[in-house]
Amino acid sequence: MVHGARRHIPMLLHHRMNGTGLNRRRIWGALVWCLAIGFVSDTALAELSLQTSLNVEEMYTDNLFYRDTEKEEDFGTYVGPNATLRLENPDIVLGATYFGRFIFFVNHPSRNRYVQNANILLDLPFLTKRYQGLSVTVDESMNFTPQLDAFSFSQAEDSSSLAGANPSLGGGGTVSGAGSSSAGGGGAFGGLGGTQGIFTRRASAFNNNSGLTVGYEWTPQLTTTLAYTNQYRHFFSSGFQDSMTHTGTISLPYRMTQGTTVTPMYSYRQTEFLGQSTQTTSADRMIFHNMTLGLAQDLTPSVSMSVNGGVSFIKQEGATEQVPGPGNTTVERVIGHKFVGRFIGGATLSKTYRQGTVSLTGRQTTGSGGGLASQGTRTRTITGRILHDFSARLSGFGSLGYAQNDSVGGQAFQTATYRGQVGLRYSFLRWLYGAVSYSHIDQRSKGTVATDLVVNQVFLSLSAVADPWYLLR
């Protein structure tokens, strides 16, 4: 089967961001091309719908700027719309979403601003045909963001993603993750290449991800999958490292029995560091050879388990770092350029029950610093979460997590981070939702690229979701 090419091009725009004109023209060109396809297609069975919501959120934080000392607390108000315009017929699915928030602070009015996010979605079902077990997928995404990629210990679980949220509007719930960072505070950092769980200061960035995946089903039990991805990251804020990452992967999932699958996998990843280096580290490129063997098993109809393990060989070329020297000076230290092996793998156990789900996950991965530093990293994470429906109207979640980041051959990363979250969501009416959530972050760092910090946040939100308005049906 050849899957229809899917284009998902998100843009997170900010009024202080520069140098995006060319990319905006490319995006508008792609949108015009998509619209042309849509209108050329048979419109007799087309459906054009508009979905909207209005969202208001109150936030309290005791550490607005994610600092170790001189903490500043504040109350913030976030208000703005979500909107989704979607055109769908048997040949094409074309959509655009918009997210906007006015942000006001009581104690720091200079941080008041308007944050917006526009997304374009294109799916082409008319490309779907059958070719003797062959499958092809193409992915492309672009993202302008005034904060680093969010990483949460429970897969970015907040009240907006609880059961019953409106999926086409992103849940219509709290925007706590975007609010705290885009307002000038720290953002949760989950960079390219596996560095996760490090909270740091605000940093504007541009990301472009593209990929191609080709699969072939030799038998009902055996499939071969080849994939290539290209990831480019550029920071508009100083003190971070630009990079280009190429990854090629081959996997051979084999279904031994109903509910049991074994998957050997190999991937080659190369990260090239671009532009000016960070203040403490520099490198030319890193090479990763990753080999793992995985097993997925359905233990019961409601309990599933997956485990995988293997080795990652890391080579750092031209890597150096600044370390303390005699007499309060700093000296440059060269990091070894030979391949170094590290264990990688993980395990997940999950259970689904009548009123929700519960899961526990542990992972160890390797990365290339993700923009904080030009240095190899080993990341360990342990996360657990629960989603529970107390009634038809009331649902909640809880999550706990731990992340440890250490340098491979260097001293930039020596960080341990803990995070706990709880939240409740209530449906007052069919179209009116409310949510309350609390987040606690505790980070301890002995490395050179992250700091100690403790952050407590409380969020209270209301979302009014309108019925879909069908412009064409």
Side-chain angles (χ1 to χ4, degrees):
M1 176 179 294
V2 178
H3 296 290
R6 180 180 295 272
R7 299 278 183 182
H8 184 209
I9 309 177
M11 300 179 296
L12 186 55
L13 307 175
H14 193 273
H15 73 283
R16 298 179 63 182
M17 188 167 292
N18 300 315
T20 61
L22 177 60
N23 293 294
R24 288 177 181 174
R25 288 195 293 272
R26 291 176 177 172
I27 292 169
W28 280 111
L31 178 58
V32 171
W33 178 78
C34 296
L35 288 171
I37 295 178
F39 286 113
V40 168
S41 303
D42 184 9
T43 59
L45 300 177
E47 180 179 278
L48 180 62
S49 63
L50 175 65
Q51 292 181 291
T52 59
S53 72
L54 179 64
N55 307 271
V56 180
E57 180 180 53
E58 296 295 324
M59 181 271 291
Y60 166 79
T61 178
D62 65 354
N63 191 354
L64 180 63
F65 301 104
Y66 280 45
R67 294 172 178 166
D68 180 26
T69 60
E70 299 180 355
K71 300 179 183 178
E72 298 186 50
E73 64 177 6
D74 211 337
F75 292 87
T77 299
Y78 306 76
V79 58
N82 286 23
T84 298
L85 182 66
R86 184 181 180 91
L87 172 67
E88 184 172 3
N89 66 25
D91 293 327
I92 186 172
V93 177
L94 177 63
T97 65
Y98 179 79
F99 167 99
R101 293 293 184 272
F102 289 99
I103 305 175
F104 307 96
F105 288 100
V106 174
N107 300 329
H108 299 84
S110 62
R111 296 293 179 176
N112 294 350
R113 63 194 61 197
Y114 184 74
V115 178
Q116 55 185 339
N117 178 11
N119 303 272
I120 298 170
L121 170 65
L122 172 64
D123 192 11
L124 304 175
F126 69 85
L127 293 180
T128 300
K129 298 178 181 178
R130 297 185 180 276
Y131 290 103
Q132 300 179 351
L134 179 68
S135 65
V136 179
T137 21
V138 179
D139 295 289
E140 170 70 25
S141 67
M142 296 171 61
N143 182 32
F144 294 92
T145 172
Q147 67 181 70
L148 296 170
D149 293 342
F151 170 76
S152 170
F153 292 118
S154 57
Q155 294 79 50
E157 199 65 59
D158 59 27
S159 58
S160 66
S161 59
L162 296 180
N166 188 320
S168 63
L169 295 175
T174 180
V175 290
S176 56
S180 60
S181 296
S182 59
F189 186 78
L192 297 177
T195 306
Q196 296 178 322
I198 298 179
F199 288 86
T200 186
R201 64 181 176 86
R202 178 179 179 270
S204 299
F206 164 73
N207 300 287
N208 184 82
N209 303 310
S210 58
L212 173 67
T213 302
V214 179
Y216 188 79
E217 185 178 281
W218 300 94
T219 69
Q221 290 77 34
L222 179 63
T223 303
T224 300
T225 301
L226 298 172
Y228 167 77
T229 58
N230 175 286
Q231 299 174 312
Y232 170 72
R233 167 167 286 176
H234 170 71
F235 289 91
F236 297 95
S237 302
S238 61
F240 295 88
Q241 179 67 65
D242 298 348
S243 64
M244 174 76 77
T245 300
H246 306 271
T247 305
T249 303
I250 179 171
S251 62
L252 299 168
Y254 179 76
R255 190 175 66 182
M256 300 178 61
T257 63
Q258 188 71 26
T260 303
T261 302
V262 176
T263 305
M265 178 181 296
Y266 166 79
S267 68
Y268 172 85
R269 184 168 76 245
Q270 176 177 305
T271 297
E272 301 171 357
F273 298 105
L274 310 173
Q276 187 174 359
S277 301
T278 64
Q279 295 179 351
T280 59
T281 65
S282 66
D284 296 329
R285 69 171 183 171
M286 291 186 190
I287 296 174
F288 299 80
H289 294 281
N290 298 335
M291 292 161 280
T292 60
L293 180 65
L295 171 66
Q297 174 72 56
D298 293 332
L299 303 179
T300 70
S302 63
V303 178
S304 62
M305 176 195 69
S306 64
V307 295
N308 69 84
V311 63
S312 175
F313 293 101
I314 310 166
K315 183 179 182 181
Q316 306 182 63
E317 298 184 353
T320 64
E321 66 177 353
Q322 299 293 323
V323 297
N328 295 324
T329 62
T330 59
V331 296
E332 186 176 76
R333 173 179 173 269
V334 177
I335 297 176
H337 60 277
K338 296 183 179 180
F339 277 104
V340 177
R342 289 291 186 272
F343 169 79
I344 56 174
T348 298
L349 182 65
S350 61
K351 176 177 175 57
T352 301
Y353 58 100
R354 186 168 58 90
Q355 292 177 280
T357 61
V358 59
S359 64
L360 179 65
T361 300
R363 289 194 180 95
Q364 179 163 306
T365 59
T366 56
S368 53
L372 277 178
S374 312
Q375 198 164 104
T377 56
R378 180 194 63 183
T379 301
R380 295 170 174 170
T381 59
I382 301 175
T383 64
R385 67 167 180 167
I386 181 170
L387 298 174
H388 185 82
D389 294 331
F390 297 100
S391 68
R393 291 179 178 269
L394 180 64
S395 57
F397 81 94
S399 66
L400 291 172
Y402 167 78
Q404 181 186 53
N405 285 273
D406 299 301
S407 294
V408 177
Q411 301 178 15
F413 295 95
Q414 287 182 299
T415 306
T417 309
Y418 304 83
R419 182 171 188 176
Q421 299 178 98
V422 292
L424 293 172
R425 183 175 183 275
Y426 188 78
S427 300
F428 297 99
L429 300 169
R430 182 179 56 83
W431 52 271
L432 183 64
Y433 303 89
V436 59
S437 61
Y438 167 76
S439 170
H440 175 79
I441 301 165
D442 191 329
Q443 179 170 287
R444 295 290 176 262
S445 177
K446 297 180 180 179
T448 59
V449 299
T451 61
D452 296 350
L453 57 87
V454 176
V455 183
N456 292 284
Q457 296 172 312
V458 178
F459 300 91
L460 178 65
S461 66
L462 281 176
S463 300
V465 181
D467 289 333
W469 182 26
Y470 292 97
L471 308 175
L472 178 65
R473 201 171 187 177

